[in-house]
């Protein structure tokens, strides 16, 4: 992508302040890859930089170079600058942090804006691609194999390993550059996708039992009850990506996964669209957000049935608005 200038670049070059890079809670590959790529690069530039996350690094992302250096927030320390990546706002960190200046690097539509140093482009295939733009415009020669691996992990996971609709000529151009800097596509894929536990397979079996179709097969959903984790010896992080099962069914336009979070008293919902439906609109009406093809929200309800009803009626409304459902 061609840009006139990136105000954040000049700001970071100048600053001598302490920097805290944050990901959203329950980080995915793009959030952690973006944060770690930026962190490693800023360290090489001699900046005072820390990277933090509310949750521990999940097993499927622990291959990301130096991810063991991620600190747990809130940490009580005061930072001059806070940079949150791959998030619609600082609220997505899921914990209070003390920062004097807030900055956002992201590719979500909408969200909170903190000023001219935000670096946001909803057309970017991943937040990691924005981090790449920033650091390559600064000093491409500092991009080593570890930094390239972080960025590649973000790009590959957010594009479904180059299968989703955000995969285009630019995505491959960037991937090519990252491979030339030392990222290994097969390594990243094996580490991310082929280190599942037997317990996770047992979880998938239970979850697929809940698979239900609605609206004559245009909508498909799965439910992950909290007891499933206990029964199979898995945890919340094992629910990542399961929404792709209902999405993969022929004729399905909107897929969802409802995940019970009893400690928060909510149902966490992941929404996916295959072709035309804009699931970000559904998530926004339920207090969440995201992209046209991938969004999420949390639904507070007194029962599972009530949460499901709320969700299904918003999905139906969106399909009607877009004339996908008549
Ligand atoms: Mn992302």
């Amino acid at each position: 992508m061609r840009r006139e200038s990136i105000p954040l670049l000049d700001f970071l070059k100048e600053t001598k302040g302490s920097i805290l890079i944050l990901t959203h809670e329950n980080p995915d590959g793009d959030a952690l890859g973006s944060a770690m790529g930026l962190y490693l690069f800023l360290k090489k530039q001699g900046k005072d930089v820390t990277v933090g996350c509310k949750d521990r690094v999940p097993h499927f992302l622990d291959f990301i170079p130096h991810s063991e250096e991620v600190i747990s927030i809130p940490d009580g320390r005061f930072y001059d600058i806070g940079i949150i990546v791959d998030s619609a706002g600082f609220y997505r960190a899921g914990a209070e942090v003390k920062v004097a200046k807030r900055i956002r690097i992201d590719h979500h539509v909408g969200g909170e804006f903190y000023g001219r140093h935000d670096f946001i482009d909803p057309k970017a295939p991943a937040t990691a691609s924005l981090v790449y733009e920033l650091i390559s415009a600064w000093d491409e020669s500092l991009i080593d194999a570890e930094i390239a691996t972080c960025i590649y992990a973000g790009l590959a996971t957010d594009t479904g390993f180059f299968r989703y609709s955000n995969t285009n000529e630019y995505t491959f151009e960037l991937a090519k550059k990252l491979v030339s800097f030392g990222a290994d596509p097969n390594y990243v894929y094996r580490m991310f996708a082929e280190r599942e536990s037997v317990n996770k397979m047992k979880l998938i079996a239970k979850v697929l039992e809940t698979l239900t179709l609605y609206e004559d097969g245009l909508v498909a959903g799965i439910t992950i009850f909290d007891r499933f984790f206990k029964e199979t010896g898995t945890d919340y992080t094992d629910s990542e990506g399961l929404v792709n099962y209902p999405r993969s069914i022929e004729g399905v336009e909107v897929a969802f996964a409802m995940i019970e979070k009893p400690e928060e008293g909510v149902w966490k919902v992941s929404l996916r669209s295959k072709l035309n439906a804009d699931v970000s609109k559904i998530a926004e009406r339920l207090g969440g957000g995201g992209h046209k093809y991938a969004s999420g929200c949390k639904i507070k309800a007194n029962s599972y049935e009530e949460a499901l009803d709320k969700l299904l009626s918003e999905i139906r409304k969106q399909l009607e608005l877009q004339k996908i459902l008549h």
Side-chain angles (χ1 to χ4, degrees):
M1 287 180 202
R2 298 270 168 268
R3 263 175 240 284
E4 298 264 303
S5 72
I6 305 171
L8 176 58
L9 176 57
D10 300 315
F11 174 78
L12 288 176
K13 276 182 181 170
E14 295 295 313
T15 189
K16 292 188 170 53
S18 55
I19 303 167
L20 174 65
I21 301 170
L22 292 169
T23 77
H24 52 74
E25 57 184 321
N26 304 311
D28 59 8
D30 190 27
L32 195 67
S34 298
M36 291 309 298
L38 182 59
Y39 166 76
L40 294 175
F41 183 87
L42 291 178
K43 264 210 324 196
K44 275 190 150 181
Q45 289 284 10
K47 302 291 178 183
D48 172 6
V49 61
T50 305
V51 58
C53 182
K54 177 179 163 259
D55 300 300
R56 65 177 173 79
V57 172
H59 174 66
F60 63 90
L61 294 177
D62 63 8
F63 69 93
I64 291 184
H66 298 274
S67 57
E68 70 282 357
E69 292 172 33
V70 176
I71 66 154
S72 167
I73 57 155
D75 63 337
R77 195 182 145 192
F78 176 85
Y79 298 87
D80 298 309
I81 301 150
I83 304 176
I84 192 157
V85 298
D86 198 44
S87 306
F90 269 70
Y91 70 94
R92 291 283 287 112
E96 279 299 323
V97 288
K98 290 180 242 172
V99 298
K101 179 182 172 65
R102 294 179 168 202
I103 295 170
R104 194 182 138 212
I105 305 178
D106 190 23
H107 67 136
H108 292 85
V109 181
E112 293 179 353
F113 298 97
Y114 304 108
R116 59 186 295 269
H117 295 122
D118 287 347
F119 185 25
I120 299 164
D121 184 354
K123 288 194 289 299
T127 298
S129 75
L130 296 173
V131 170
Y132 175 80
E133 277 192 65
L134 182 78
I135 66 178
S136 63
W138 191 334
D139 186 352
E140 200 172 61
S141 72
L142 287 188
I143 302 179
D144 56 24
E146 289 186 332
I147 294 173
T149 299
C150 294
I151 310 274
Y152 183 90
L155 183 70
T157 56
D158 250 30
T159 58
F161 287 84
F162 309 99
R163 291 172 303 169
Y164 298 158
S165 60
N166 53 353
T167 306
N168 54 34
E169 212 177 325
Y170 174 73
T171 317
F172 283 111
E173 266 172 34
L174 179 52
K176 180 187 170 184
K177 279 190 193 143
L178 294 167
V179 172
S180 77
F181 292 135
D184 178 345
N186 177 249
Y187 171 79
V188 171
Y189 182 74
R190 275 190 290 116
M191 296 307 275
F192 180 81
E194 296 186 334
R195 290 191 299 147
E196 305 285 25
S197 64
V198 174
N199 287 351
K200 173 145 182 193
M201 294 301 128
K202 290 178 178 159
L203 174 71
I204 293 170
K206 277 188 190 288
V207 169
L208 290 182
E209 288 287 331
T210 72
L211 175 68
T212 309
L213 297 180
Y214 309 90
E215 310 295 354
D216 287 329
L218 271 177
V219 178
I222 51 170
T223 307
I224 305 160
F225 293 100
D226 187 57
R227 62 184 164 83
F228 288 0
F229 296 129
K230 296 182 182 106
E231 287 165 3
T232 57
T234 52
D235 63 35
Y236 180 82
T237 61
D238 292 301
S239 64
E240 171 81 21
L242 298 190
V243 69
N244 291 319
Y245 287 102
R247 179 191 149 123
S248 67
I249 299 167
E250 182 170 24
V252 165
E253 176 65 31
V254 172
F256 67 84
M258 283 177 73
I259 309 164
E260 187 179 17
K261 294 208 98 180
E263 68 288 356
E264 288 178 48
V266 298
W267 291 86
K268 188 171 176 295
V269 179
S270 290
L271 283 154
R272 296 291 182 273
S273 156
K274 207 187 283 181
L275 273 175
N276 299 313
D278 184 348
V279 292
S280 72
K281 298 282 193 292
I282 300 166
E284 276 164 28
R285 284 199 296 271
L286 291 164
H291 318 280
K292 180 182 174 187
Y293 296 101
S295 323
C297 60
K298 287 176 180 173
I299 300 180
K300 229 180 167 64
N302 294 314
S303 66
Y304 166 65
E305 289 72 23
E306 188 190 326
L308 181 64
D309 270 0
K310 275 189 188 174
L311 176 62
L312 287 172
S313 78
E314 289 301 339
I315 293 173
R316 165 176 270 280
K317 195 188 287 175
Q318 186 59 28
L319 290 174
E320 283 170 352
L321 274 170
Q322 290 188 253
K323 307 212 185 308
I324 296 166
L325 189 72
H326 299 280

